[in-house]
Amino acid sequence: TLFISPELPQDTLFERRWYGRLADNSNVYPVPSRSSAPVRNVGDGYLFATVINRLQKDSGETWYEINPGEFVHADDIQLAQVSDFQGVETTSQPVRPFGWVVEEVRPSSGSDVEPDIDVEKLPRFTFVEIYDAVQGEEDWIWYDIGDGRWVRQTYLSLVNVDPRPQGVGEDEFWTEVDLYEQTFAAYEGDRLVYATLISSGLNRWPTNEGLFQVWDRFREYKMSGAEGQVDYYYLEDVPYIMYFDDHNGIALHGTDWHDRCGYKHSHGGVNMPIKDAEWTFNGTAEAPNDLWGWVHTSDPKAALQDT
């Protein structure tokens, strides 16, 4: 099998942590009771806490402990539904582009053809390989995903094997972030060994392009930004952080607060599903070189020649 799902390591953080979004201006208490004086108010913003305990009181109230000795009422926190999506390892070099459905779609029998309502829809995260590509009306590219099924490019995020960027050694480990496709690939020299979906920066906070090296890493650490502004955020215990753009504090990292990989969604960082960030973090910890990261915008029309 060319594409396989890797096993989680024994010390994985996945499903070993609860995360929750705090409501604006929530009070934090020293004990699970609103009759006690709060120790602080969280203010407003995009605020995520790590939940370390759940308490059900005899009164029926539910409380969550977010730090030792800090409690919030269940009304003031919404537990995150962490994505269980994971990309793929490759056992040999892929011979054609591949990727995932990022929005539920019913395939067509050809380019610019309305789908047959009797054809089963493909759910989000369906894995596909690309066998042909043609340019249809309005310049959209249509992809043949096999068995006579065609899908317009807007429903897919794809990975293609790319050559090493200049400056990366032939035996070095490097990663690729494709801002157009919103995909990630990891390589050992010239061989692609892993791929997945990511979310890079929204247009307002773009992820910088270029060739970088990871300069610091944390298994778990906080992230915050835009203090005093309407888009202020504070995220406790972000998993598997790998900082690469030292000028802007941008990192590859796991993401527990959204499930939008395949689309731009961040403040500039490269958001990854937790399992994929974990694979990258662990797999590169003992790499013979500082981890390279190549961030670029691919040309989708190249697929018209590559397929």
Side-chain angles (χ1 to χ4, degrees):
T1 302
L2 175 57
F3 301 100
I4 61 174
S5 297
E7 295 184 1
L8 289 174
Q10 290 187 345
D11 63 346
T12 181
L13 293 177
F14 184 74
E15 294 188 334
R16 305 278 179 84
R17 297 287 187 272
W18 292 353
Y19 307 95
R21 182 176 182 180
L22 297 169
D24 286 347
N25 300 306
S26 297
N27 284 326
V28 179
Y29 297 88
V31 294
S33 172
R34 282 175 165 161
S35 63
S36 63
V39 295
R40 62 187 174 98
N41 183 282
V42 300
D44 59 2
Y46 196 72
L47 313 173
F48 265 73
T50 303
V51 176
I52 60 176
N53 199 11
R54 177 181 182 272
L55 300 94
Q56 190 76 41
K57 300 188 68 175
D58 292 341
S59 62
E61 285 187 315
T62 301
W63 287 78
Y64 292 96
E65 189 174 11
I66 59 171
N67 287 300
E70 291 196 341
F71 299 86
V72 293
H73 193 275
D75 290 345
D76 293 326
I77 188 169
Q78 181 178 1
L79 294 185
Q81 299 296 313
V82 177
S83 174
D84 65 354
F85 173 78
Q86 184 172 22
V88 293
E89 280 186 339
T90 62
T91 57
S92 60
Q93 191 79 312
V95 297
R96 61 179 62 89
F98 63 92
W100 295 268
V101 172
V102 291
E103 183 180 346
E104 183 181 74
V105 60
R106 199 186 306 274
S108 299
S109 60
S111 63
D112 296 312
V113 176
E114 288 295 321
D116 186 333
I117 61 172
D118 294 327
V119 175
E120 185 176 356
K121 287 185 177 180
L122 300 176
R124 176 162 156 80
F125 297 141
T126 299
F127 181 83
V128 298
E129 291 186 77
I130 304 303
Y131 296 88
D132 198 4
V134 299
Q135 189 164 327
E137 297 176 2
E138 299 179 352
D139 286 338
W140 291 121
I141 298 172
W142 285 76
Y143 293 106
D144 175 6
I145 61 171
D147 298 324
R149 299 173 301 167
W150 289 77
V151 175
R152 196 177 70 184
Q153 68 181 107
T154 51
Y155 292 94
L156 302 173
S157 286
L158 300 179
V159 177
N160 205 348
V161 176
D162 279 320
R164 279 180 289 117
Q166 186 175 359
V168 177
E170 61 181 12
D171 296 321
E172 291 189 315
F173 200 101
W174 59 283
T175 63
E176 173 189 14
V177 172
D178 185 336
L179 300 179
Y180 183 86
E181 295 288 350
Q182 292 293 292
T183 54
F184 168 95
Y187 295 78
E188 292 180 3
D190 294 316
R191 192 173 87 78
L192 188 151
V193 297
Y194 196 90
T196 189
L197 297 169
I198 56 94
S199 287
S200 68
L202 292 161
N203 292 342
R204 183 178 175 185
W205 303 286
T207 304
N208 290 329
E209 298 191 40
L211 182 63
F212 306 91
Q213 283 188 302
V214 168
W215 56 271
D216 207 355
R217 56 175 63 217
F218 299 91
R219 190 167 184 261
E220 293 178 280
Y221 202 68
K222 74 172 180 68
M223 283 185 166
S224 62
E227 188 169 357
Q229 302 179 40
V230 295
D231 56 321
Y232 170 65
Y233 63 93
Y234 186 97
L235 310 167
E236 285 186 353
D237 299 324
V238 176
Y240 304 115
I241 301 170
M242 293 156 279
Y243 283 103
F244 64 87
D245 183 349
D246 58 352
H247 181 69
N248 295 282
I250 300 301
L252 302 163
H253 58 79
T255 307
D256 56 76
W257 53 93
H258 75 80
D259 187 20
R260 294 291 295 161
C261 285
Y263 296 96
K264 294 179 180 180
H265 198 78
S266 82
H267 268 70
V270 179
N271 295 182
M272 305 178 72
I274 290 178
K275 293 179 183 179
D276 298 316
E278 180 176 59
W279 185 97
T280 307
F281 187 92
N282 291 340
T284 62
E286 303 300 327
N289 60 285
D290 292 331
L291 177 62
W292 292 100
W294 179 40
V295 182
H296 72 113
T297 301
S298 66
D299 177 7
K301 289 186 170 57
L304 299 173
Q305 289 80 43
D306 292 341
T307 52

